Amino acid sequence: MLDWLRFALGAVLMLGGLFVLLSGVLGLFRFRFSLSRIHAGALIDTIGILLMLGGLIVALGFTLTSLKLLVVIAFLWCTSPVASHLIGKLEVTVTEKPERSMAVENPEAVAQVKEEG
Amino acid sequence: MARIRDEHDGSRWSRLQRWLSEGDDPLDRDLIEAVDAPTPLPDAVPPVQPLKLWKVREEARRSHRIEKADRFLRILYVLSAVLVCAGIIGVLWLTTERLPSFGGVENPANNEVPAHYIEKGMEETGAVNIVAGMILDYRAFDTLGESNVLFVAACTVIILMRIRSGDPADRLAEDAGDGRYEPGEDSVLQVMAALIVPLVLVFGVYIVLNGHLSPGGGFSGGAVMGAALILYLNAYGSAKAGRFFTFRTFRTVSLVALSFYALSKAYSFFTGANELPSVITAGTPGRIFSAGLIPYLNIAVGLVVCCTMYALYTLFRKGDL
């Protein structure tokens, strides 16, 4: 009974992860501007990975393998947002007219980012 | 005299000479003049040509023919693409049909050579990791070639991409301009790199040093170490990375590692082939100091791979190490 419950919980988590991955891939291909695409891609790398690997951990039980999966989650949660941040910064730096693809609330900040490169 | 000079000025040889000495291309001059000259205003509107009906018809017929040919070609293209794809799929399918089944006992790959590797490998080489025993002991010659291929690739990229001027002022300007189109000195990236780079570097060293005990080895570990160095370079810029890795480092490390590999393996091949007593012994399998030369060869290969990865990245990034 407990095993079944655990498996069901893991399956639900993995299904949720699949949904996130699917919507992320859809966003990657359907969004028009780079910043929106970064949003979709970052979704896959963070919450999608967390749900998928978390589902695996729950379904398999706590072993050395699941500890390694936890390390994988921690590594991706550390590095993927930084990568998204860098791509976003590069996008702001090189886009000639950022107002056309994103809502610019603070033009001085954009100018500063462009200045610093 | 003047006539002769005029003739000389007009001759090809003199034009070539002038072009070489002044860098003044007559073609360029014409272009510049054409651009500089003000466009003359049209004096009068050109008279309207009377419409010739037969010409219009001819034109329409021709465009219709072109359209038809275009459509025909497009259909032909799609058809031939589908046919070629289907043909390739069919050939591959038939081939896979006749391949021996995966993991079958009677497969031609299962001859006495892998059997010997699996049965005697640990005993003869002292490496728990059979793959390491294979690539760095039985087939060490092949791995030496692979490391040299990496080195030669790096040398070729250096020949093609290295643009280093001798002038110190130019060098300073180059270093200042390095990474102009990248987000440099990013504090988020720097904090994360300070956390990640040591971990990744230690992980790569672990993969290299445990190559004869667990999956891994020089190639994979060297790639991990090179990735850590590249991450450091991206986070902190080439001025800081240049403190521990310069062109001289690349040269020295590659040379020492490759010659150590070649010389030690030459010794081991010589003694092994002539059945001479050798100082290299297999040792106790499972110990960190065991498996004869394999750990040291792994270190050599790892260093070459790491240096090559880093060198390729920096050469493509700014044309220098």
Side-chain angles (χ1 to χ4, degrees):
Chain A
M1 184 61 197
L2 204 64
D3 277 0
W4 268 104
L5 261 180
R6 211 173 61 187
F7 179 76
L9 187 61
V12 166
L13 280 178
M14 277 193 267
L15 280 179
L18 269 183
F19 173 71
V20 172
L21 293 192
L22 200 67
S23 43
V25 170
L26 198 70
L28 268 183
F29 283 102
R30 296 286 298 180
F31 280 142
R32 277 183 65 196
F33 300 115
S34 308
L35 288 179
S36 334
R37 288 186 180 172
I38 292 168
H39 167 68
L43 205 68
I44 298 175
D45 275 354
T46 49
I47 196 74
I49 288 289
L50 176 75
L51 285 177
M52 289 304 284
L53 297 186
L56 276 178
I57 291 171
V58 170
L60 292 177
F62 293 98
T63 55
L64 192 63
T65 317
S66 52
L67 196 69
K68 286 178 188 170
L69 288 180
L70 277 179
V71 173
V72 169
I73 293 176
F75 187 80
L76 278 174
W77 273 53
C78 286
T79 50
S80 162
V82 179
S84 309
H85 160 74
L86 286 175
I87 299 173
K89 200 173 170 187
L90 190 68
E91 173 70 13
V92 172
T93 311
V94 301
T95 310
E96 218 157 294
K97 286 182 180 156
E99 310 84 41
R100 285 170 62 181
S101 60
M102 53 192 110
V104 180
E105 287 179 1
N106 192 352
E108 290 92 28
V110 173
Q112 196 188 350
V113 169
K114 275 180 184 288
E115 188 91 353
E116 286 167 2
Chain B
M1 196 65 196
R3 203 170 60 86
I4 292 173
R5 198 175 59 220
D6 282 352
E7 270 181 11
H8 173 72
D9 278 353
S11 71
R12 281 192 185 170
W13 169 247
S14 119
R15 268 190 302 189
L16 178 71
Q17 222 171 12
R18 256 181 300 162
W19 180 63
L20 282 179
S21 58
E22 297 165 24
D24 184 20
D25 194 348
L27 207 64
D28 280 353
R29 205 166 46 220
D30 286 355
L31 273 178
I32 291 166
E33 276 167 10
V35 168
D36 284 347
T39 10
L41 287 172
D43 293 341
V45 183
V48 179
Q49 296 286 331
L51 204 63
K52 284 178 183 154
L53 207 56
W54 61 273
K55 261 196 172 170
V56 173
R57 269 200 206 129
E58 184 92 336
E59 193 66 26
R61 239 181 250 139
R62 196 192 295 148
S63 72
H64 182 65
R65 267 211 304 278
I66 289 174
E67 247 174 46
K68 257 174 107 177
D70 194 38
R71 210 178 305 144
F72 174 72
L73 274 181
R74 205 167 294 165
I75 290 171
L76 196 71
Y77 175 75
V78 170
L79 263 183
S80 55
V82 168
L83 275 182
V84 166
C85 275
I88 290 175
I89 289 172
V91 168
L92 289 178
W93 205 325
L94 282 178
T95 317
T96 352
E97 197 86 36
R98 276 141 208 259
L99 278 179
S101 61
F102 181 74
V105 186
E106 270 102 50
N107 288 358
N110 283 340
N111 51 21
E112 66 276 5
V113 178
H116 183 89
Y117 285 162
I118 292 166
E119 282 166 11
K120 299 267 180 67
M122 201 159 100
E123 187 187 315
E124 283 179 359
T125 65
V128 180
N129 180 2
I130 298 177
V131 177
M134 251 187 266
I135 65 166
L136 287 170
D137 199 300
Y138 293 116
R139 301 183 180 182
F141 205 54
D142 179 78
T143 310
L144 174 63
E146 281 165 16
S147 321
N148 275 315
V149 163
L150 274 177
F151 181 64
V152 170
C155 289
T156 319
V157 174
I158 287 170
I159 292 170
L160 288 176
M161 310 279 288
R162 193 158 187 243
I163 37 159
R164 189 65 159 166
S165 64
D167 191 9
D170 279 0
R171 283 189 190 186
L172 281 179
E174 273 174 19
D175 287 344
D178 167 45
R180 187 181 298 148
Y181 300 107
E182 302 172 19
E185 300 292 322
D186 189 277
S187 54
V188 180
L189 178 62
Q190 283 181 347
V191 170
M192 220 12 114
L195 199 69
I196 295 282
V197 167
L199 290 176
V200 176
L201 210 53
V202 169
F203 182 56
V205 172
Y206 162 81
I207 293 176
V208 171
L209 291 185
N210 262 3
H212 54 301
L213 303 177
S214 59
F219 285 104
S220 40
V224 172
M225 289 194 290
L229 292 187
I230 290 171
L231 179 58
Y232 182 85
L233 170 72
N234 268 331
Y236 293 99
S238 55
K240 278 194 178 171
R243 281 192 210 148
F244 62 88
F245 201 102
T246 56
F247 191 67
R248 183 189 285 271
T249 325
F250 169 71
R251 232 170 24 189
T252 318
V253 169
S254 298
L255 177 74
V256 169
L258 285 176
S259 17
F260 167 75
Y261 193 118
L263 291 177
S264 59
K265 245 7 243 188
Y267 171 76
S268 116
F269 279 147
F270 185 74
T271 53
N274 294 315
E275 301 189 350
L276 294 169
S278 165
V279 294
I280 301 158
T281 52
T284 321
R287 292 261 183 90
I288 187 86
F289 290 111
S290 67
L293 277 174
I294 292 177
Y296 311 108
L297 296 184
N298 257 333
I299 294 171
V301 172
L303 284 176
V304 170
V305 173
C306 171
C307 289
T308 309
M309 294 257 305
Y310 184 80
L312 287 185
Y313 180 77
T314 47
L315 281 166
F316 275 99
R317 174 173 155 155
K318 64 166 191 165
D320 193 30
L321 280 166

